[in-house]
């Protein structure tokens, strides 16, 4: 059965909207774990627009499952990861102008620097996942770069307009997951997944874990975090 890693970034987005100290993403992480999350994801962005360094360090101290730190492949973030020591680092692209992550890391362009970052983390005992588009070339490059896992960017599928485009985008995810498994990579999936789009993954056993944040936090605003996590957990249990 696939895992559910809950991304608590957007609890922090709500906090940062008024620059106060609530809601606390750390409290949300503990509630998500009690509701069935298999891990907690946070994206420490260079601009700290939501999750900040205090959150990451406190999460490390208090969560009971596993900490997945999403970060850009910069020396600043590598230094933080080596200090915090998450169970997994997921390398993601990042630029200040983006509203949210817009695509996967392009390993054709950044192969050398990403390989160096992977080595720096793995040499200190930290496994590395790479957030990439569902493209065979990217998956092969992730494998060649020595990544432990990949996270397939599901945004193109989740945001596709019309059944034909959605089917096309989803079939790329299926092919990507199968190729990654053949290469003995761990396979996660995430970005934009919601209580409807997750249903398409029924039977796709190659996915080890789903990283979901925005749709869970959005639902939590209406029904509460415990229920929002439990409902997503139940959907994934049924895949
Ligand atoms: C990498 C990814 O798809 C998500 O973790 C996303 O980055 C969440 O953070 P933002 O919403 O700030 O992009
Ligand atoms: N890597 C994907 C993630 O952690 C959550 O993305 P989203 O569900 O907030 O779009």
């Amino acid at each position: 059965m696939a895992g559910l890693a809950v991304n608590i970034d957007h609890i922090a987005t709500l906090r940062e909207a008024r620059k106060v100290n609530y809601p606390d993403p750390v409290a949300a992480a503990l509630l998500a774990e009690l509701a069935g999350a298999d891990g907690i994801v946070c994206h420490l962005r260079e601009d700290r627009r939501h999750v900040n360094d205090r959150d990451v360090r406190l999460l490390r101290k208090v969560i009971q499952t596993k900490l997945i730190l999403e970060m850009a492949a910069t020396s600043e973030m590598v230094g933080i990861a080596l200090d915090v020591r998450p169970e997994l680092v997921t390398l993601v692209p990042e630029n200040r102008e983006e509203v949210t992550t817009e695509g996967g890391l392009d390993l054709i362009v950044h192969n050398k620097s990403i390989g160096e970052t992977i080595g720096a983390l793995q040499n200190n005992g930290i496994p590395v996942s790479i957030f990439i588009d569902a493209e065979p070339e990217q998956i092969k490059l992730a494998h060649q770069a020595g990544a432990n896992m990949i996270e397939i960017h599901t945004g193109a599928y989740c945001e596709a307009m019309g059944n034909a485009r959605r089917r096309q985008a989803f079939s790329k995810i299926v092919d990507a997951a199968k190729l990654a498994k053949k290469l003995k990579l761990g396979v996660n999936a995430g970005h934009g997944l919601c209580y409807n789009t997750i249903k398409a993954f029924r039977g796709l056993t190659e996915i080890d874990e789903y990283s979901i944040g925005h749709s869970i936090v959005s639902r939590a605003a209406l029904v509460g975090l415990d229920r929002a996590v439990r409902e997503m957990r139940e959907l994934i249990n049924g895949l």
Side-chain angles (χ1 to χ4, degrees):
M1 184 186 306
L4 168 61
V6 175
N7 184 316
I8 45 82
D9 288 353
H10 298 301
I11 298 286
T13 298
L14 196 50
R15 175 187 66 190
E16 295 310 311
R18 290 286 177 88
K19 299 295 178 197
V20 290
N21 63 0
Y22 62 89
D24 191 336
V26 177
L30 294 176
L31 289 173
E33 289 186 318
L34 290 171
D38 301 293
I40 297 299
V41 185
C42 60
H43 182 182
L44 183 65
R45 283 179 165 268
E46 183 195 14
D47 63 10
R48 282 31 175 211
R49 67 178 70 170
H50 40 54
V51 162
N52 60 38
D53 302 63
R54 166 267 181 197
D55 300 332
V56 175
R57 294 184 189 283
L58 204 44
L59 283 168
R60 174 67 293 169
K61 290 184 190 296
V62 300
I63 68 168
Q64 304 291 309
T65 56
K66 63 186 174 187
L67 179 59
I68 300 167
L69 177 62
E70 291 185 338
M71 55 179 243
T74 63
S75 53
E76 178 199 16
M77 289 301 158
V78 169
I80 292 170
L82 295 184
D83 190 30
V84 169
R85 307 196 60 75
E87 277 69 35
L88 180 69
V89 160
T90 300
L91 298 177
V92 301
E94 199 173 294
N95 67 66
R96 290 202 175 221
E97 299 69 41
E98 64 186 6
V99 171
T100 183
T101 302
E102 292 168 342
L105 263 176
D106 184 345
L107 295 176
I108 296 169
V109 174
H110 303 294
N111 201 309
K112 184 173 181 303
S113 62
I114 294 299
E116 289 164 359
T117 301
I118 291 171
L121 293 163
Q122 289 176 337
N123 292 341
N124 285 278
I126 302 175
V128 179
S129 177
I130 305 182
F131 185 73
I132 52 175
D133 292 336
E135 299 292 346
E137 187 58 30
Q138 298 291 345
I139 292 158
K140 290 172 189 168
L141 287 170
H143 179 250
Q144 288 166 20
N148 302 88
M149 316 183 65
I150 62 163
E151 180 173 336
I152 300 172
H153 186 331
T154 53
Y157 155 63
C158 295
E159 293 147 20
M161 304 301 283
N163 289 335
R165 288 204 176 118
R166 199 167 295 130
R167 273 198 302 274
Q168 184 191 23
F170 190 74
S171 69
K172 291 184 77 169
I173 293 171
V174 173
D175 294 345
K178 292 183 183 302
L179 173 59
K181 273 298 169 198
K182 205 177 287 178
L183 295 172
K184 308 234 184 301
L185 288 165
V187 183
N188 289 353
H191 196 89
L193 291 172
C194 70
Y195 294 78
N196 183 41
T197 52
I198 190 68
K199 296 173 184 172
F201 289 80
R202 185 183 300 278
L204 188 52
T205 54
E206 288 81 1
I207 305 286
D208 296 316
E209 189 162 83
Y210 296 93
S211 293
I212 305 175
H214 183 264
S215 65
I216 289 175
V217 172
S218 302
R219 195 178 192 100
L222 303 175
V223 303
L225 186 59
D226 181 83
R227 180 173 158 187
V229 173
R230 288 181 192 281
E231 289 179 354
M232 185 58 80
R233 177 72 268 180
E234 281 162 26
L235 285 171
I236 292 170
N237 291 349
L239 292 181

